[in-house]
Amino acid sequence: MGRLEICEPGRGRNIRMSKEKIQSNISKIAYGCFYLAVIIEVIIVLIDKSAYINPIEGSLFRLTFLLCLIKAVLTRYSLKEYLVMVLFLGLSMFTYFVTGRDEAVRIIVFVIACKDIDIKKCLKLVFYITLIGTLLIVILSMFGVGGAIAHTQYYGREGTTVETRYSFGMGHPNALHCMIWSLSVLYLYLYGATAKWQGYLAVAAINLFSFILTDSKTGLLVSVFSVLYATIYRFVKTEWVKKICSLAGIIVTAGCIGISVYFANQAYHVYNYDWSIDRGPIPTFLKKVDSMLTGRLRELVGTTRWEGTTQTWSLFSAPENNYFFDLGWVRMFYWYGIIPACIFIGVLFAVMIFCYRKRYYMAMMLMVSFAVYTVVEAHAVSVYLARNYVLFLIGGCWSTMLCGEKNEE
């Protein structure tokens, strides 16, 4: 006769509780690693914007990559997600081996690690650390500890000689207004949906005051655009107006990319105009555009190889494509290659369409604002992941877009 096994009543419950405790500890480690990586990335951005040189920047990038990788390893994914992850990791690794630039790999691992992260909560952390850090840089410069308060020099503007513009420790006036703009856009994304008109007025006033100090026309124009765009979403109650505004934003983004490609392809006309090779209507027009952009087109044809023009583009770029210039979308194609740039643009439009369908209007505002700003400045196209808030949105959306999870908020 077989032995009858009697299970202790509390044993199964204890096993379940033990498993839940282990899973809870794993989750705490995963989330702790991710948020620590984000904090470090933001601090790296602040140090870069300041007058200080970061001697261990490369080591910090490797640390944040490792922390995001730990978060990704400790996160559960579906089969579909794993397939997409393998595809994008493979492409990013290939880009790294061809160009020697590791940003693509770091971006993919960061986006993968964003699954199950409360992106708004994360971006609130980014907002307050960036705000405090920016104020600290400004205060230190005023006490003579950080960088210079103002710079008196020639800024390449037509009809000017020497100008005095304020930077308050940021190294360049445009860099200061860039930080004000990015903080303004992030504030509108986080709080714009519920903010009262006083909040919008305060954002506009801060950017106007920043313009008086920095004389950064790009910063002012894009800031005004962002505030007006967010104002429509916040105060216009008619839903079809918001939808039209979102569709217009998608079209504007496509136009920003298209005009950037046009600039890179036609920049030689500015060279021809300057050397009196061709003074026809097209070179004359592009020369006027170049003057409005304070020499950014001429910058593309100021090197021996005409770095940044379409003749220096390739499918996956090359190690020698490391020249710095301001046109952000052009830099993306030039630094990383046509295929990686097109893949990112495709993902960007997929996320925009997703946000349009879900009525995530402030997310639309943030992405369109970055698209417009990136035409003229390369703030978001850099080795610094925490500069580009669009990456956080992509990280918050990709899993839901693939699997349609219920906890998409």
Side-chain angles (χ1 to χ4, degrees):
M1 189 172 178
R3 186 175 59 182
L4 180 63
E5 299 248 355
I6 301 176
C7 182
E8 298 177 16
R11 187 177 178 184
R13 184 176 60 186
N14 291 336
I15 293 174
R16 287 195 300 272
M17 290 179 65
S18 179
K19 288 182 178 179
E20 289 174 0
K21 187 176 181 180
I22 293 172
Q23 187 60 45
S24 175
N25 290 333
I26 290 174
S27 296
K28 288 178 181 178
I29 293 171
Y31 284 94
C33 287
F34 180 83
Y35 278 103
L36 179 58
V38 169
I39 291 170
I40 295 172
E41 286 282 351
V42 175
I43 292 173
I44 294 172
V45 170
L46 291 169
I47 295 174
D48 173 69
K49 288 293 184 181
S50 72
Y52 297 100
I53 296 174
N54 188 353
I56 59 169
E57 185 176 86
S59 299
L60 290 176
F61 282 145
R62 287 188 284 273
L63 174 60
T64 57
F65 171 79
L66 178 62
L67 291 170
C68 288
L69 185 61
I70 292 173
K71 165 62 174 66
V73 170
L74 297 179
T75 302
R76 294 180 179 179
Y77 300 94
S78 67
L79 177 61
K80 185 186 293 186
E81 288 170 331
Y82 275 119
L83 292 175
V84 171
M85 287 160 54
V86 169
L87 174 63
F88 277 85
L89 281 172
L91 286 168
S92 64
M93 289 296 295
F94 183 78
T95 301
Y96 168 64
F97 288 126
V98 171
T99 66
R101 309 190 69 92
D102 62 358
E103 296 95 288
V105 181
R106 290 172 51 228
I107 287 171
I108 296 301
V109 173
F110 173 78
V111 169
I112 289 172
C114 283
K115 182 183 177 181
D116 297 334
I117 295 293
D118 185 334
I119 294 301
K120 271 205 168 181
K121 179 181 177 181
C122 181
L123 283 174
K124 284 180 181 179
L125 178 66
V126 172
F127 174 78
Y128 288 109
I129 295 176
T130 306
L131 177 61
I132 293 170
T134 301
L135 291 174
L136 182 61
I137 293 172
V138 171
I139 293 170
L140 288 175
S141 71
M142 294 174 68
F143 283 95
V145 179
I149 294 178
H151 298 268
T152 302
Q153 63 186 58
Y154 175 62
Y155 288 93
R157 297 182 178 188
E158 187 176 2
T160 63
T161 52
V162 175
E163 302 173 86
T164 298
R165 299 167 61 189
Y166 292 87
S167 61
F168 286 99
M170 294 288 181
H172 195 284
N174 289 346
L176 174 60
H177 205 147
C178 175
M179 291 298 287
I180 302 299
W181 161 78
S182 61
L183 284 168
S184 300
V185 172
L186 189 52
Y187 168 81
L188 292 172
Y189 166 72
L190 294 171
Y191 303 106
T194 56
K196 297 182 179 180
W197 65 267
Q198 293 93 334
Y200 282 80
L201 185 62
V203 172
I206 290 170
N207 279 276
L208 179 59
F209 180 69
S210 300
F211 170 70
I212 294 172
L213 295 173
T214 65
D215 199 24
S216 176
K217 296 180 177 63
T218 300
L220 177 66
L221 290 174
V222 181
S223 297
V224 170
F225 169 81
S226 303
V227 172
L228 291 176
Y229 203 8
T231 299
I232 295 174
Y233 286 139
R234 172 65 179 92
F235 296 105
V236 176
K237 302 301 181 182
T238 309
E239 191 63 28
W240 65 266
V241 174
K242 295 181 180 180
K243 289 186 176 181
I244 290 177
C245 191
S246 297
L247 290 173
I250 295 174
I251 295 170
V252 167
T253 301
C256 289
I257 298 167
I259 198 169
S260 297
V261 174
Y262 175 78
F263 286 158
N265 188 51
Q266 300 293 316
Y268 72 91
H269 283 300
V270 177
Y271 177 88
N272 291 341
Y273 182 93
D274 288 342
W275 288 93
S276 300
I277 298 172
D278 187 355
R279 292 292 181 93
I282 294 179
T284 302
F285 167 73
L286 287 172
K287 181 60 182 179
K288 290 180 179 178
V289 172
D290 179 61
S291 297
M292 292 172 59
L293 298 178
T294 61
R296 283 172 169 83
L297 300 187
R298 185 68 174 84
E299 192 177 21
L300 297 179
V301 290
T303 59
T304 303
R305 218 167 62 99
W306 289 11
E307 306 290 347
T309 59
T310 51
Q311 70 181 37
T312 60
W313 294 6
S314 58
L315 293 181
F316 283 93
S317 191
E320 59 267 21
N321 285 16
N322 55 13
Y323 186 65
F324 282 79
F325 49 83
D326 291 322
L327 301 177
W329 290 111
V330 177
R331 184 191 285 189
M332 182 181 294
F333 282 97
Y334 167 74
W335 269 9
Y336 305 108
I338 296 171
I339 291 177
C342 288
I343 290 173
F344 175 80
I345 291 167
V347 171
L348 175 63
F349 280 119
V351 173
M352 293 183 80
I353 293 171
F354 173 80
C355 290
Y356 166 76
R357 290 175 175 172
K358 295 291 184 177
R359 301 178 183 179
Y360 299 156
Y361 293 129
M362 289 303 169
M364 288 291 298
M365 178 277 304
L366 187 146
M367 288 185 284
V368 176
S369 297
F370 265 80
V372 174
Y373 195 78
T374 304
V375 173
V376 182
E377 298 284 356
H379 173 77
V381 184
S382 72
V383 298
Y384 306 102
L385 305 188
R387 281 187 184 183
N388 192 347
Y389 305 143
V390 175
L391 297 178
F392 290 82
L393 297 186
I394 295 173
C397 292
W398 75 274
S399 178
T400 304
M401 291 169 62
L402 279 177
C403 304
E405 296 176 5
K406 293 181 181 180
N407 58 336
E408 62 189 59
E409 286 295 328

